[in-house]
Every structure is written in C-alpha cells, then in structure tokens.
Amino acid sequence: MKLVFATNNLNKIKEIQALIPSKIELLTLSDIGCTEDIPETSPTIEGNAIQKVQYVKQHYGYDCFADDTGLEVDILGGRPGVYSARYAGAAKDPETNMNKLLKELTGKNDRNAHFKTVIALEINGKLETFTGICRGNIAHQKKGEGGFGYDPIFTPHTYDKTFAELPLSEKNKISHRGKAMQRLINYFNH
C-alpha cells in the first residue's frame, strides 16, 4: 500500500520510517512532486493536520496522513501550542523559539508542559485522527544534541533527561508522535 506522509521535515520522516509497518510504502511530498507549502491556517493542531491531508488528496489524489504537533505550556495558557514552529517568528528557527520560551519562563516554578501530536489520515474516502500526548516539564537550559524543535528543553515525566538526550528508539516509545503513530499503526492492523 502506498501512503503519502505530508511533511518536508526530514526529522519527522526519519522518526516515522522507524515506526511504520513494512507493508506500507511511505511516500514523501517530494516523491509526489509537491513542492509548495501546504497551508496550515487552522487555529487548532487537529485542524492543521486535517487541512494537510485534504490538500494532498484534493491536489494530488493520494491517500495520505499528516501530523501537526504543538508544545503546550500550562502556565502560559497552552502557548506556544499551534504556533510552536513559528513562536518567535516566521523563520521557524528552533533556537530562537526555545530562547523565547525559556525567557518567558524565567523565575517561574510551574514548568509543566506537554507535547501534543495529532495525526490525520485520509484513506479510502474516510478521515480518521489519532492523538498522542507526552507530559513533562520545560528544563531551565538546553541539554542534548539529538532530536529537533523543542527537544533540548523538554524533559518527559519520570525521566531526568531531555528528549534531545534520549536515543531515538527510547524517544519513540514515549513521545507524543510515537503514541499517535502507534494508534495509526493499530488502525492499520485491525
């Protein structure tokens, strides 16, 4: 079965390829000739994931899945949330985003946060969504070289290391994307 994963994020592709069953041939946006930026104008994480799969289906005709992820910090009322990638501006620079978030949390004791991923799947004319949440805390400083995005400042509950310090295999077992992906895989196996 051929299925498009609607992302240009090479880190996400790498994570998903390690999880997806071998019976599914994963195609990327570049594999189908999609070079434009797919609109992400929904005010919700779920809405953006759905918007991406519907765009690919409408413009390219492929069954597709897409994810959208946000980091939601309790004391900030859920920010950066749906704006996580562009929190510090349109450049979508992870370092600038992390620096802005760390500055906003200076002197704050409540550093509870969670990552939320929603995967939308459009297949055989049906739309499904799968959600994964990983709870944790925002570290006081960046630690680790792995991962991407906010990984160097996010410490999952029951761990003393950030996502950026964990091996990918360990991160995939507990992460928001890993949990949402497992729900997607379970859907395919039923």
Side-chain angles (χ1 to χ4, degrees):
M1 171 193 334
K2 289 186 178 185
L3 192 60
V4 173
F5 180 28
T7 187
N8 286 313
N9 184 319
L10 297 177
N11 291 302
K12 285 185 183 180
I13 292 167
K14 184 177 165 186
E15 282 188 8
I16 296 299
Q17 282 178 323
L19 296 169
I20 198 129
S22 58
K23 67 180 179 180
I24 296 171
E25 182 184 345
L26 193 62
L27 301 175
T28 65
L29 290 175
S30 61
D31 290 335
I32 64 167
C34 177
T35 56
E36 65 269 26
D37 279 337
I38 297 175
E40 293 182 59
T41 55
S42 173
T44 66
I45 292 168
E46 181 178 80
N48 279 338
I50 291 169
Q51 192 174 16
K52 288 186 251 187
V53 296
Q54 290 177 335
Y55 184 93
V56 168
K57 187 67 174 176
Q58 181 182 356
H59 291 86
Y60 294 90
Y62 284 93
D63 284 340
C64 175
F65 72 97
D67 81 322
D68 198 39
T69 297
L71 175 64
E72 299 180 340
V73 180
D74 293 1
I75 200 162
L76 299 179
R79 285 187 292 118
V82 72
Y83 304 106
S84 292
R86 53 195 180 277
Y87 193 45
K92 298 183 178 181
D93 179 59
E95 288 296 318
T96 310
N97 288 336
M98 283 187 286
N99 291 339
K100 177 178 179 177
L101 183 59
L102 289 172
K103 186 175 181 185
E104 285 188 314
L105 292 177
T106 300
K108 302 220 179 354
N109 292 328
D110 179 0
R111 299 180 82 84
N112 286 312
H114 63 271
F115 272 115
K116 176 181 181 181
T117 291
V118 177
I119 295 176
L121 169 70
E122 186 161 322
I123 191 164
N124 303 325
K126 274 180 72 179
L127 179 67
E128 303 280 346
T129 59
F130 310 90
T131 301
I133 291 175
C134 182
R135 300 190 187 285
N137 297 292
I138 303 301
H140 290 273
Q141 61 189 25
K142 298 173 207 162
K143 292 187 226 159
E145 300 297 318
F148 62 99
Y150 293 90
D151 286 359
I153 62 170
F154 183 81
T155 305
H157 283 168
T158 74
Y159 282 77
D160 61 358
K161 293 182 177 177
T162 67
F163 268 167
E165 294 176 292
L166 295 175
L168 181 58
S169 59
E170 184 70 17
K171 179 188 172 190
N172 277 342
K173 289 178 191 171
I174 61 167
S175 78
H176 46 294
R177 188 169 295 104
K179 290 175 183 178
M181 195 64 205
Q182 192 54 57
R183 290 182 174 101
L184 174 67
I185 290 165
N186 291 344
Y187 175 83
F188 283 128
N189 290 334
H190 282 100

